[in-house]
Amino acid sequence: MKNRIIEICELGQPKSIIHRENEPISELIKTTDLVEELNKQLLLHNVSQQRELLLAYNEEVNQCMVDSQHILDESDVNDFLANNCG
């Protein structure tokens, strides 16, 4: 399993630069892979207002992905909550 992401050094399209816990150098990663990995890393079990937090997160991510067809929307949040939060 990869070490968790502790810093996003540069959020770009199509790739971003990240820094992982206990890793000496930064890593270049596809931005879509970064989003998927962060969604897994940021599971929000036992947190109230999960839906609102995820919608705000998606809005932030979408601002950086305007040229992408991988835009996250409300249905993605609903699917995520249905599949991961009971």
Side-chain angles (χ1 to χ4, degrees):
M1 183 174 189
K2 296 179 182 178
N3 290 336
R4 69 186 183 97
I5 297 169
I6 58 171
E7 180 182 11
I8 300 172
C9 304
E10 183 177 326
L11 185 60
Q13 198 49 285
K15 295 190 177 185
S16 298
I17 300 171
I18 61 169
H19 188 82
R20 292 185 185 277
E21 188 173 51
N22 301 320
E23 295 287 332
I25 59 172
S26 297
E27 174 184 339
L28 189 63
I29 184 174
K30 286 176 51 180
T31 301
T32 53
D33 293 343
L34 170 61
V35 170
E36 288 176 22
E37 191 170 333
L38 285 174
N39 281 336
K40 292 176 186 171
Q41 185 174 315
L42 298 173
L43 288 178
L44 301 173
H45 296 293
N46 300 320
V47 175
S48 63
Q49 308 301 326
Q50 291 178 27
R51 189 169 191 284
E52 289 77 9
L53 289 170
L54 288 168
L55 288 172
Y57 168 74
N58 282 351
E59 184 177 322
E60 236 3 80
V61 169
N62 288 341
Q63 289 178 5
C64 300
M65 301 179 72
V66 290
D67 295 332
S68 174
Q69 293 183 4
H70 192 69
I71 299 294
L72 303 168
D73 62 19
E74 202 167 332
S75 66
D76 294 313
V77 171
N78 293 337
D79 291 343
F80 177 83
L81 290 173
N83 292 326
N84 296 289
C85 300

